[in-house]
Structure formats: structure tokens, C-alpha cells
Amino acid sequence: MIATISLSACATGDTDPGGAVCPPVIAYDQAMRVRAAVDLEALPDDSALVGMMADYAVMRAQARMCEAV
């Protein structure tokens, strides 16, 4: 999970050339990513937040792809 959070940090974007609005991707500094990873690792494996954060990482990756188009 630490790797997922670390890979999630990127710059924000506006729109793609096709006119679809890309959601912004908030940039988190290294200290915030480390803090979040520590917090996430402290949760039990069956915590709902663990799964939600994994979903959030996927959505961030999709938003980055949207802005790259």
C-alpha cells in the first residue's frame, strides 16, 4: 500500500483535447505520502478504508491518463 500512495502523487490537469473535463489530481508532498502510508498500514487488513484507498489510487491513475490525452 505504501507504493500505491507513493505513486499517487502527480500534478493537476485541466481538460483533454476531446473536450472532456479531467478531474484534478492533487499533488501530495513526500512527507504527506509517508504520513498517509504509515496511517494506512496501521489499519486492520479488513478495514473498509484500505479498499477505498486502493480505489482512490486507481481513480488518480485514470485522471492522470485523462490529462495526458
Side-chain angles (χ1 to χ4, degrees), residues 26-56:
I26 306 298
Y28 299 111
D29 64 23
Q30 181 66 23
M32 180 62 84
R33 293 191 311 267
V34 168
R35 183 176 164 198
V38 168
D39 290 351
L40 195 56
E41 290 292 328
L43 294 172
D45 289 339
D46 62 348
S47 170
L49 290 176
V50 172
M52 292 174 76
M53 289 304 296
D55 292 343
Y56 178 63

